[in-house]
Amino acid sequence: MIKEDLLKLSNDSKKELEGVYDIKQLNELKIKIFGKTGLLTTFSKAMRDVPVDEKPVIGAIINEIRKELEDKISEKEKYFKEKELNDKLEKEKVDITEPSKNNELGAIHPIASVTDKLIDICVSLGFSVVEGPEVETDYYNFEAMNIPKNHPSRDMQDTFFITENTLLRSQTSAVQAREMEKRKPPFKIICPGKTYRNESDSTHSPIFHQLEGLVVDEKISMADLKTMLTIIMKRLYGDETIIRFRPSFFPFTEPSIEVDVSCPNCHGKGCSICKGIGMLELLGAGIVNPKVLEISGIDSKKYSGFAFGFGLDRTAMILNSINNIKYLYKNDIRFLKQMQ
Ligand code: FA5
């Protein structure tokens, strides 16, 4: 009787093993057969009730069935493990011949692009690039630039003060005094960077960018300044650009000028970009006021200098026919794409 039961267990288990389709089911079947209360274990336990003379035969049958089932199970186990590995390899396969996805390329921001262009032009003309702090002292931003405390010319720049003597620099001219204190003439420097003023409309932003230029040497004259600016502007806007110098006022330069260029959109005819004037104001400049040289310890009898201050946002707007400065700060991808 026990023999038949063992044979039935062997056949049923083999059939069940054939239907197993994953490792989880296989483990469940293993427990069902070989577990503590498993089918074959139960038979092994029942051996103690088998008559002594039958014990060797029944024991041998149990061992044979155990061996056969264990072999079949480990074969299946091997098959499932290989299958799992193959499935994983197939899923993770990289087809290196497949064309790559179209990744969107970024564009250089118009302000960064114009800054780079101007730096390249100035460096090719012998200028060195310097930097200064954006959080500046009242001294370097104003006093060393011949703008004493309470002087009415401070009204020209609506400044963000942090404390009585600390502010967000309103002009890169602040770097002039820092460099003049450090250097011995002759020298030619430019300083690009962020500047801040409390103003906001279509051509003014509270954060904007300037590029300051300063040359100090013996016998520097207005002719040198005009020549230098003409070369820079023509390289930036093209040879056919018309340049106009107008008298102006800055406390740190004497005489002072403002410089206009013919509108690159209409070439002087008048359009919406230049508001019908045909020319666009671009920068302030002048011969460094001897007082400014003296404040920074430079002998104004021996040396003279010229300085200029480009508005980089304005320059970028003119080069790209942008009619509102706000577009430069919105980071709208549609706008930036047009600048490519
Ligand atoms: C100055 O800031 C002088 N430091 C320039 C200078 C340097 C003169 C060296 C002489 C010698 P002004 O305030 O005009 O000057 O500003 C220079 C340029 O900065 C302007 O022509 C304009 O293009 C730009 N600018 C000024 N304020 C703003 C603003 N709020 N937003 C955007 N651009 C501005």
Side-chain angles (χ1 to χ4, degrees):
M1 186 64 184
I2 192 159
K3 264 193 210 166
E4 281 87 72
D5 288 347
L6 275 168
L7 224 58
K8 187 169 181 316
L9 163 72
S10 169
N11 288 336
D12 288 354
S13 299
K14 279 186 218 157
K15 237 184 241 157
E16 210 170 326
L17 196 58
E18 268 164 32
V20 163
Y21 55 84
D22 66 9
I23 198 91
K24 188 172 168 259
Q25 271 196 335
L26 188 68
N27 285 334
E28 281 166 9
L29 185 63
K30 246 160 96 174
I31 294 168
K32 188 176 166 190
I33 300 168
F34 302 115
K36 258 188 194 165
T37 52
L39 299 169
L40 203 62
T41 319
T42 317
F43 274 105
S44 299
K45 281 180 187 163
M47 276 291 283
R48 59 179 104 91
D49 304 326
V50 174
V52 183
D53 56 331
E54 282 181 36
K55 265 189 191 176
V57 182
I58 301 295
I61 294 173
I62 290 178
N63 284 344
E64 199 183 313
I65 292 174
R66 178 188 302 282
K67 167 111 190 17
E68 201 182 358
L69 288 176
E70 273 174 354
D71 286 351
K72 282 201 182 306
I73 283 173
S74 67
E75 216 173 274
K76 262 264 156 41
E77 220 162 32
K78 201 171 146 215
Y79 165 77
F80 283 135
K81 278 191 181 146
E82 266 170 24
K83 188 173 177 300
E84 192 184 13
L85 182 68
N86 288 339
D87 287 353
K88 200 171 166 225
L89 289 176
E90 185 61 32
K91 230 197 268 168
E92 290 173 3
K93 195 164 84 179
V94 178
D95 180 0
I96 55 164
T97 63
E98 202 174 294
S100 66
K101 277 185 202 155
N102 248 354
N103 285 333
E104 279 211 41
L105 285 180
I108 296 173
H109 192 278
I111 293 176
S113 155
V114 94
T115 309
D116 288 349
K117 259 189 205 150
L118 259 174
I119 290 176
D120 281 352
I121 294 170
C122 293
V123 167
S124 76
L125 292 167
F127 286 85
S128 311
V129 185
V130 297
E131 284 187 332
E134 288 172 32
V135 176
E136 189 49 284
T137 60
D138 186 274
Y139 175 78
Y140 286 115
N141 196 78
F142 288 129
E143 288 167 61
M145 288 290 100
N146 193 31
I147 311 174
K149 279 199 157 65
N150 303 318
H151 195 275
S153 66
R154 287 197 176 206
D155 283 353
M156 288 162 76
Q157 301 180 6
D158 199 347
T159 309
F160 292 110
F161 277 87
I162 297 167
T163 65
E164 207 190 321
N165 284 313
T166 321
L167 46 84
L168 293 178
R169 73 175 172 199
S170 58
Q171 50 181 352
T172 43
S173 298
V175 187
Q176 279 194 35
R178 286 185 175 275
E179 292 300 317
M180 283 193 277
E181 273 179 6
K182 274 195 273 183
R183 290 171 188 262
K184 290 225 170 319
F187 58 83
K188 285 162 96 177
I189 49 146
I190 50 165
C191 170
K194 285 200 188 84
T195 37
Y196 304 83
R197 288 182 200 175
N198 184 18
E199 351 177 270
S200 180
D201 60 31
S202 64
T203 53
H204 294 84
S205 162
I207 301 177
F208 59 105
H209 300 73
Q210 288 188 338
L211 183 139
E212 191 82 7
L214 173 67
V215 173
V216 180
D217 202 345
E218 290 179 34
K219 298 193 179 77
I220 291 288
S221 71
M222 187 55 106
D224 296 315
L225 171 61
K226 287 175 74 176
T227 308
M228 182 66 81
L229 288 177
T230 306
I231 295 171
I232 295 175
M233 304 286 227
K234 292 213 170 198
R235 287 206 190 160
L236 190 63
Y237 288 109
D239 271 344
E240 63 293 344
T241 306
I242 302 161
I243 297 153
R244 185 167 68 188
F245 298 97
R246 283 183 291 108
S248 184
F249 169 77
F250 296 104
F252 34 92
T253 47
E254 181 57 38
S256 304
I257 54 171
E258 266 175 329
V259 186
D260 305 332
V261 288
S262 52
C263 173
N265 192 47
C266 64
H267 306 288
K269 289 191 196 88
C271 68
S272 62
I273 303 272
C274 60
K275 301 195 175 95
I277 300 166
M279 301 293 283
L280 289 155
E281 181 206 315
L282 203 60
L283 66 126
I287 295 297
V288 180
N289 192 320
K291 269 193 196 168
V292 171
L293 295 175
E294 292 294 337
I295 291 173
S296 300
I298 290 177
D299 181 0
S300 65
K301 290 200 180 67
K302 187 170 180 200
Y303 295 106
S304 51
F306 68 70
F308 54 85
F310 271 87
L312 293 174
D313 306 60
R314 183 71 62 82
T315 314
M317 286 168 77
I318 293 171
L319 274 175
N320 297 288
S321 304
I322 299 164
N323 59 12
N324 194 320
I325 198 167
K326 301 278 180 309
Y327 289 121
L328 293 173
Y329 293 93
K330 276 191 175 161
N331 278 336
D332 186 329
I333 192 87
R334 293 166 301 176
F335 165 78
L336 293 174
K337 269 186 179 165
Q338 289 175 47
M339 298 298 119
Q340 288 175 5

